[in-house]
Amino acid sequence: MWKNDYNRWKEFTELDADLASNLEELTSDEQSLEDAFYKNLEFGTGGMRGKLGPGTNRMNIYTVRKAAEGLATYVNDQGLSNRGVAIAYDSRYMSKEFAVETARVLGHHGIPSYVFTSLRPTPELSFAVRHLNAAAGVVVTASHNPPEYNGFKAYNEDGGQLPPEQAEIMIDFVNKVENELKVEAADQQELEEKGLLRWIDDEVDAAYLEALKGVTVQPDIKKDLSLVFTPLHGTARDLVEKGLEQSGFTSIHIVEEQAKPDPEFSTVASPNPEEHQAFEMAIEQGKAIGADLLMATDPDADRLGIAVPNEKGEYVVLTGNQTGALLLDYILGQSEQLPKNGLLIKTIVTSEFGRVISNSYGIRSLDTLTGFKFIGEKIREYEQTGEHTFMFGYEESYGYLVKDFARDKDAVQAAVLAAEVGAHWKNQGKTLLDALDELYEKHGYFLEDLQSMKLEGKSGTEQIQAIMDDFRNAEIKQAGGKKVVAIEDYATTIRKHVQDGTEEEIDLPTSNVVKFILEDDCWFCLRPSGTEPKIKFYYGVKSGTRKESEELLAAVKATVNERLHALI
């Protein structure tokens, strides 16, 4: 079947010259050729992401045009075409080209595009949609994926990624595009002359930086903090540096070797602040100057990682759960007055640490499915109803939102607040590790971990589903010596209580996720990645001490891995 699509591409006389050459190279590699054509690159609830190259299962100008055609139909269907679409892109190969292709397709349908002239962080795109009153937004990015990847993320008129209901409509429009090679795109120069392609920059930057001032909790505290920051070859340098400066920080040191945008991310194995190796250069520079805080953002600047020195002068990279707990506790503990209807929003795979902290301040917490689009959706819902006031949103994978002028995770906001939190504790003679220890002593020692297994191609997809099916249907009674209390299957939205067999509905959208709730606030969860060919295993435990939690975590992981290894 896939050979029909291959022949269609092979016989297309107007095929882009570079793609035609790449396609010719693939003909000697049957397996790679099949992988490039065996399916259409899936446009899911988070948009699409894939390897660059020719084929229906690859990111290229034709699959981007197909996505843009679906977006154009979606915008027209919503009756919002006159409001236009904001478009941003990161430092990856073909990012600007894909942004312009998107604008050309939208322009063919008479829909204006507002395109940044150079790379910008994803959260600024979210802000731009709202600031420009646009109908939708697009970011061309593959976040922290390897260099051979790129992607297309779609945003709604609220500046959030499309939640399931809207995403299903757009996915349907994209899937109805029968031939990606035949999607029409207008001439760029003509669109510019007609005002259907408008280049944007300074005005949006200035407005974002003005909004960023609202992230500050204590404007007048002493900010004598030495910072090292690396954008990991991505988009964050300009806004993070300016945001820190306008907040009052003066000792800001940039890792210059990683400051320049580079689609190869040549100084790191992975441009992901979740990976400790991404901090190597920052740590080296931090030790040289005695920095109080190190910060790293991923290429599209929606994730932030931080590292702080311990008592031996060695830098410790905090987890997303730990950073989220510190930011949350600071916001709630240092705000002059907390609203009675305040709300923390986190995801189902984020630590229970945040819930315990928010409860201690009388602030309610709410869980969503994994993915910041669900947090953005809830912000919008409560903004309209007035039922809750948004206080903070985060997920364990280094994503945080402090103020809702953006509706996606925002590493620029998080960097400015993290620096302030560091300064606050330094003024008291403490480090962020000291502050974290105080939280553990008060609330219990929470410890989490994440394992992922990469399974690529058609066979990998089948393996991932087989693993999910096995765990979903298994009668697992215990893990790490802890009894299974309940099993939450988000595909059926049913929570089953193991002891008495009773069931109840989970009030969340369906998702291919299974979570095992263990006794004593412990749990583990399985979830296929929505953006990478991986299956992820999340773990969370709690006990009285770090040593006890480490032993418990190892025991729970061992139970899961034993079953997994038997399967594989």
Side-chain angles (χ1 to χ4, degrees):
M1 183 70 178
W2 63 268
K3 289 187 176 179
N4 292 336
D5 284 325
Y6 164 66
N7 289 330
R8 182 164 55 86
W9 274 60
K10 187 73 174 172
E11 295 164 7
F12 185 54
T13 57
E14 298 173 26
L15 192 68
D16 174 81
D18 288 337
L19 289 174
S21 175
N22 293 338
L23 187 62
E24 187 65 33
E25 293 171 7
L26 282 181
T27 55
S28 60
D29 185 345
E30 182 84 2
Q31 186 174 345
S32 295
L33 195 64
E34 179 182 4
D35 194 51
F37 283 97
Y38 86 93
K39 67 174 182 176
N40 291 330
L41 186 61
E42 183 179 353
F43 194 100
T45 56
M48 66 182 188
R49 189 181 300 188
K51 291 182 177 180
L52 294 160
T56 57
N57 189 33
R58 293 287 183 264
M59 284 289 297
N60 51 64
I61 61 171
Y62 302 108
T63 53
V64 167
R65 286 179 184 175
K66 178 179 178 179
E69 180 76 8
L71 176 61
T73 309
Y74 172 84
V75 170
N76 282 328
D77 182 68
Q78 299 288 309
L80 301 173
S81 57
N82 63 313
R83 287 167 55 179
V85 175
I87 303 175
Y89 51 92
D90 70 5
S91 55
R92 289 178 175 273
Y93 289 117
M94 297 298 292
S95 281
K96 187 168 186 177
E97 290 86 346
F98 290 162
V100 171
E101 289 299 321
T102 301
R104 291 179 62 206
V105 172
L106 293 169
H108 173 74
H109 291 274
I111 300 171
S113 291
Y114 307 94
V115 188
F116 285 99
T117 59
S118 59
L119 71 176
R120 287 297 189 283
T122 287
E124 188 177 4
L125 181 280
S126 174
F127 172 82
V129 171
R130 298 171 59 77
H131 178 70
L132 298 169
N133 192 34
V138 170
V139 180
V140 179
T141 179
S143 189
H144 54 270
N145 277 56
E148 63 269 23
Y149 282 79
N150 212 329
F152 180 108
K153 288 168 68 174
Y155 288 75
N156 63 16
E157 73 279 10
D158 190 52
Q161 292 186 54
L162 300 177
E165 219 170 279
Q166 289 181 318
E168 284 176 16
I169 297 170
M170 179 153 168
I171 290 167
D172 186 52
F173 286 138
V174 173
N175 290 340
K176 283 180 179 176
V177 179
E178 293 181 356
N179 189 342
E180 68 285 344
L181 299 176
K182 298 294 185 180
V183 174
E184 295 188 57
D187 180 75
Q188 179 181 337
Q189 186 175 340
E190 287 183 12
L191 293 177
E192 291 171 343
E193 292 170 355
K194 292 178 181 178
L196 288 173
L197 197 169
R198 308 172 194 178
W199 298 100
I200 57 173
D201 274 322
D202 295 345
E203 186 234 331
V204 179
D205 291 346
Y208 177 88
L209 285 167
E210 184 63 31
L212 191 62
K213 294 176 181 178
V215 168
T216 299
V217 178
Q218 300 183 89
D220 300 325
I221 66 168
K222 183 181 178 183
K223 294 178 179 175
D224 180 23
L225 196 76
S226 178
L227 301 160
V228 171
F229 170 61
T230 172
L232 297 179
H233 301 294
T235 62
R237 176 176 182 171
D238 188 55
L239 284 181
V240 168
E241 200 168 10
K242 287 178 179 176
L244 290 169
E245 287 171 351
Q246 75 176 14
S247 186
F249 293 93
T250 56
S251 184
I252 307 165
H253 307 269
I254 307 297
V255 181
E256 293 296 340
E257 299 93 331
Q258 297 176 329
K260 186 178 179 181
D262 174 11
E264 281 295 323
F265 311 112
S266 51
T267 66
V268 289
S270 169
N272 183 359
E274 291 180 272
E275 305 288 344
H276 291 191
Q277 55 79 29
F279 274 92
E280 286 178 0
M281 285 189 169
I283 288 173
E284 184 180 344
Q285 189 165 329
K287 286 183 176 180
I289 65 172
D292 300 303
L293 179 65
L294 315 180
M295 299 193 292
T297 52
D298 68 342
D300 68 325
D302 61 358
R303 298 170 194 253
L304 174 80
I306 67 174
V308 291
N310 61 18
E311 67 279 0
K312 297 178 182 178
E314 298 296 326
Y315 285 93
V316 178
V317 180
L318 301 188
T319 69
N321 285 311
Q322 290 171 329
T323 300
L326 286 166
L327 298 182
L328 172 65
D329 182 70
Y330 179 75
I331 291 169
L332 300 183
Q334 302 304 321
S335 295
E336 290 184 2
Q337 187 174 359
L338 295 177
K340 292 181 179 179
N341 65 345
L343 183 69
L344 160 71
I345 310 178
K346 69 178 192 67
T347 71
I348 59 173
V349 296
T350 300
S351 174
E352 290 298 291
F353 201 7
R355 191 189 317 280
V356 172
I357 291 170
S358 64
N359 286 347
S360 73
Y361 288 100
I363 296 296
R364 188 189 163 196
S365 60
L366 176 74
D367 279 3
T368 70
L369 290 177
T370 307
F372 231 86
K373 58 181 170 285
F374 297 109
I375 293 177
E377 182 183 27
K378 284 298 179 183
I379 292 172
R380 184 182 192 183
E381 176 186 330
Y382 293 132
E383 183 180 55
Q384 292 172 340
T385 64
E387 183 180 351
H388 291 291
T389 299
F390 173 74
M391 299 300 296
F392 186 62
Y394 78 115
E395 57 186 5
E396 54 34 82
S397 55
Y398 283 45
Y400 321 96
L401 183 62
V402 185
K403 293 293 182 181
D404 62 5
F405 58 78
R407 296 296 164 93
D408 202 352
K409 51 186 179 284
D410 189 337
V412 183
Q413 289 191 37
V416 172
L417 182 63
E420 183 180 333
V421 177
H424 167 81
W425 287 109
K426 184 180 180 181
N427 293 340
Q428 298 185 37
K430 300 175 182 178
T431 69
L432 289 179
L433 290 178
D434 295 327
L436 195 57
D437 283 340
E438 289 184 9
L439 287 175
Y440 286 140
E441 288 173 14
K442 183 178 180 180
H443 301 294
Y445 203 99
F446 289 83
L447 188 62
E448 297 80 29
D449 199 8
L450 167 65
Q451 291 178 306
S452 61
M453 182 179 293
K454 194 171 187 177
L455 297 165
E456 294 189 290
K458 183 180 179 182
S459 61
T461 302
E462 292 169 350
Q463 277 185 292
I464 288 171
Q465 191 53 49
I467 293 169
M468 291 299 298
D469 289 343
D470 178 83
F471 275 85
R472 180 171 273 125
N473 297 318
E475 292 191 6
I476 299 174
K477 302 294 186 183
Q478 66 83 33
K482 295 290 183 180
K483 292 180 182 177
V484 176
V485 176
I487 301 171
E488 297 178 342
D489 188 344
Y490 291 87
T492 60
T493 65
I494 294 295
R495 178 185 297 110
K496 181 179 180 180
H497 297 277
V498 173
Q499 187 173 358
D500 58 11
T502 59
E503 297 181 350
E504 60 184 321
E505 188 173 348
I506 302 170
D507 187 22
L508 287 173
T510 59
S511 183
N512 188 17
V513 179
V514 181
K515 185 174 183 179
F516 292 80
I517 310 298
L518 311 177
E519 59 186 337
D520 300 329
D521 292 325
C522 301
W523 56 273
F524 70 90
C525 180
L526 286 74
R527 182 182 77 90
S529 171
T531 56
E532 302 172 86
K534 292 180 178 179
I535 181 169
K536 296 185 175 183
F537 302 83
Y538 301 83
Y539 304 90
V541 300
K542 175 195 171 187
S543 70
T545 67
R546 179 183 183 90
K547 186 175 185 296
E548 289 173 359
S549 289
E550 286 176 344
E551 291 172 352
L552 180 56
L553 179 64
V556 174
K557 288 167 65 176
T559 302
V560 173
N561 285 331
E562 184 179 344
R563 185 174 195 89
L564 182 62
H565 291 155
L567 284 170
I568 298 299

